[in-house]
Amino acid sequence: MQLQIIGLTGSFGSGCSYVARNILEPLGYKVASLSHKLREEFHTSNNNGTGPPSRLELQRFGDQRRQADGPSYFASKVFHEIDAAAKSDGTTKWVVDSIRNPAEVHRLRELLPNFFLFGVYATKDCRWQRTQQVYNRDRKAFDEDDERDTGRQSEGFGQRVEDCFTEADVVFSNDEHFTTVGNVPFGDFKGKVKSYVDLVSEPLSRRQPTLAEALMAAAYTVSQRSSCLKRKVGAVIVDGDGTIISSGFNEVPRHYRPCVDEYGKCGRAVVWDRVTDVLAQKLREWPGERDSIVQALRQEIRILDCCRALHAEENAIVSLARNGRSVPLGECTLYTTTHPCRLCANKIVNLGVKRVIYLEPYPEQEAKVILADGGVEDQFFEGISFKAYSRIYGEKK
């Protein structure tokens, strides 16, 4: 008996549960939810609680359970549910909702060979519109929950949706507001999702990838040349026909040694260690507060300027200039495995390309404004990601 499992990940408000209940369940997929498992355990542990728990309470409880029993704890519980049902009633098609830690993805892939992860994307403004009633229009509370959800400041056992998204085999946008399940926009959205379901249901059926899928896979391939210890990023610039004319990855300038060779760790970590040591000396009147001070600084200050490397987009632009390629830049597109930062956005605007296509669940809002003001189209990538490219489009032997 071969199980066919689709996992769903995305920021809260992106519509993962909506997709599970209104699209995948009618297609014959039984729904299992990690969030449901978490809520069950929360209510069991807090049986004297009053009222529904807040998102913060659930986030903290989930972190505690994953810290105590391993980051894949809830994924293992869902697997046991799926395995038991398959043995008892023969259910083979499942959708696993609310995946929020990469260890959950890794565990499900380990246990279920036919597991494919779908990443559901919606802009932050769209997600706010969908959830503002839950937050009583308190945007600050929404932003705080959303930041915790990303996992940028989380330990390994915390919610880390940003990292889950980079593990996705299929990614697509869900920015529409559907007033009813049966209307035309919903039908179009359902058709898009179903097309991806069909692809993962029959991999290696030798359907051609889209141009965007092929070019994003190329950007990912280029990214693997990076020596960065934190994140490997790749970018390609293509002309109006989709031909690659330049590429780049995040890396230190040619005359420098990579951070791993120079320091044995990330160069930014070296900067943080130095800053922390200075603070520890200057703030001795607050003993034991070093970690909390550094955590606050990390939330308030971005130290991209302290990074020794050129970003992938910068290197692609430099490569284009160095090689003297003469192309109508107004017809060109830049594909990047993450959204450009504000510094790269400024350079992209000055370069004069037509659009940027990115794969990033939490784009920097200031950078998006810079691109928009500069007349550069800013487009989220949709389709089969580089994670599943060869699984879906490889040849049968």
Side-chain angles (χ1 to χ4, degrees):
M1 181 188 307
Q2 194 172 50
L3 296 173
Q4 184 177 325
I5 316 294
I6 292 175
L8 294 174
T9 191
S11 309
F12 63 86
S14 60
C16 289
S17 297
Y18 183 92
V19 170
R21 295 295 180 186
N22 294 291
I23 297 179
L24 295 176
E25 193 170 33
L27 291 176
Y29 287 81
K30 189 171 182 179
V31 179
S33 171
L34 275 68
S35 177
H36 182 67
K37 298 293 183 189
L38 187 156
R39 286 176 180 273
E40 283 181 342
E41 292 204 13
F42 178 89
H43 289 300
T44 300
S45 302
N46 299 271
N47 51 17
N48 293 325
T50 58
S54 67
R55 187 177 299 278
L56 176 58
E57 289 175 310
L58 292 172
Q59 286 175 330
R60 287 175 173 170
F61 180 78
D63 289 355
Q64 291 167 4
R65 297 303 295 144
R66 285 187 291 263
Q67 182 178 21
D69 297 296
S72 62
Y73 171 72
F74 291 108
S76 295
K77 288 183 72 70
V78 162
F79 169 75
H80 292 315
E81 176 186 348
I82 291 172
D83 187 53
K87 291 174 180 175
S88 65
D89 60 21
T91 303
T92 59
K93 296 168 66 175
W94 289 82
V95 53
V96 180
D97 190 14
S98 305
I99 296 173
R100 314 197 83 73
N101 184 287
E104 296 166 346
V105 180
H106 302 156
R107 182 62 173 158
L108 291 170
R109 282 194 173 132
E110 174 189 339
L111 296 170
L112 301 162
N114 270 358
F115 173 82
F116 287 89
L117 182 65
F118 284 21
V120 186
Y121 172 76
T123 65
K124 189 170 184 176
D125 285 342
C126 177
R127 294 188 290 108
W128 164 242
Q129 291 299 318
R130 290 172 177 167
T131 60
Q132 60 179 312
Q133 297 298 331
V134 176
Y135 284 93
N136 294 317
R137 302 185 183 279
D138 184 350
R139 182 63 187 256
K140 183 174 183 292
F142 168 86
D143 288 339
E144 289 173 350
D145 281 354
D146 193 48
E147 180 61 26
R148 279 189 296 270
D149 206 41
T150 69
R152 290 172 187 159
Q153 310 298 331
S154 299
E155 301 290 342
F157 52 80
Q159 292 194 176
R160 293 165 54 196
V161 174
E162 188 170 36
D163 290 336
C164 286
F165 209 87
T166 62
E167 292 285 340
D169 300 296
V170 179
V171 293
F172 54 85
S173 176
N174 179 28
D175 272 348
E176 290 279 355
H177 295 282
F178 305 118
T179 56
T180 177
V181 167
N183 63 9
V184 172
F186 172 82
D188 293 340
F189 179 63
K190 179 180 178 181
K192 178 172 68 174
V193 177
K194 186 178 183 302
S195 71
Y196 298 132
V197 173
D198 292 342
L199 277 176
V200 301
S201 299
E202 192 179 352
L204 304 181
S205 57
R206 302 198 60 175
R207 171 185 174 271
Q208 266 190 320
T210 67
L211 179 60
E213 289 170 341
L215 291 171
M216 190 59 78
Y220 171 76
T221 300
V222 170
S223 77
Q224 296 308 290
R225 295 189 61 200
S226 171
S227 67
C228 184
L229 297 168
K230 293 294 186 181
R231 172 181 279 186
K232 296 176 182 288
V233 181
V236 297
I237 300 175
V238 303
D239 64 18
D241 295 322
T243 301
I244 296 174
I245 58 175
S246 182
S247 65
F249 53 94
N250 55 322
E251 191 56 87
V252 297
R254 292 180 176 184
H255 61 287
Y256 286 126
R257 296 201 309 163
C259 294
V260 64
D261 297 330
E262 186 73 16
Y263 309 114
K265 60 182 178 180
C266 174
R268 281 188 286 177
V270 174
V271 174
W272 271 117
D273 288 344
R274 185 169 65 247
V275 170
T276 302
D277 289 340
V278 171
L279 282 172
Q281 293 175 7
K282 292 183 177 295
L283 301 176
R284 295 190 181 206
E285 64 270 26
W286 293 346
E289 292 297 317
R290 169 179 166 139
D291 290 344
S292 62
I293 291 169
V294 172
Q295 183 76 354
L297 281 172
R298 284 185 184 276
Q299 291 176 348
E300 298 298 328
I301 301 173
R302 292 179 64 90
I303 57 168
L304 285 174
D305 291 348
C306 297
C307 182
R308 300 168 67 235
L310 278 79
H311 292 185
E313 301 92 329
E314 290 178 303
N315 267 327
I317 293 170
V318 169
S319 177
L320 189 65
R322 184 174 60 243
N323 294 324
R325 296 295 299 268
S326 178
V327 293
L329 291 170
E331 298 176 5
C332 291
T333 299
L334 186 148
Y335 287 80
T336 177
T337 55
T338 67
H339 192 275
C341 69
R342 59 181 178 81
L343 299 176
C344 286
N346 283 327
K347 296 177 179 69
I348 290 167
V349 168
N350 267 10
L351 180 65
V353 298
K354 180 179 181 180
R355 74 170 62 86
V356 169
I357 296 180
Y358 65 93
L359 177 54
E360 168 70 62
Y362 294 97
E364 187 179 318
Q365 295 304 305
E366 185 178 355
K368 289 182 73 67
V369 171
I370 290 170
L371 292 175
D373 289 348
V376 180
E377 294 179 31
D378 191 29
Q379 184 177 329
F380 176 73
F381 166 80
E382 295 188 275
I384 303 300
S385 81
F386 37 77
K387 281 288 182 180
Y389 193 81
S390 60
R391 290 179 69 191
I392 298 297
Y393 296 126
E395 296 183 27
K396 291 182 179 179
K397 300 296 185 184

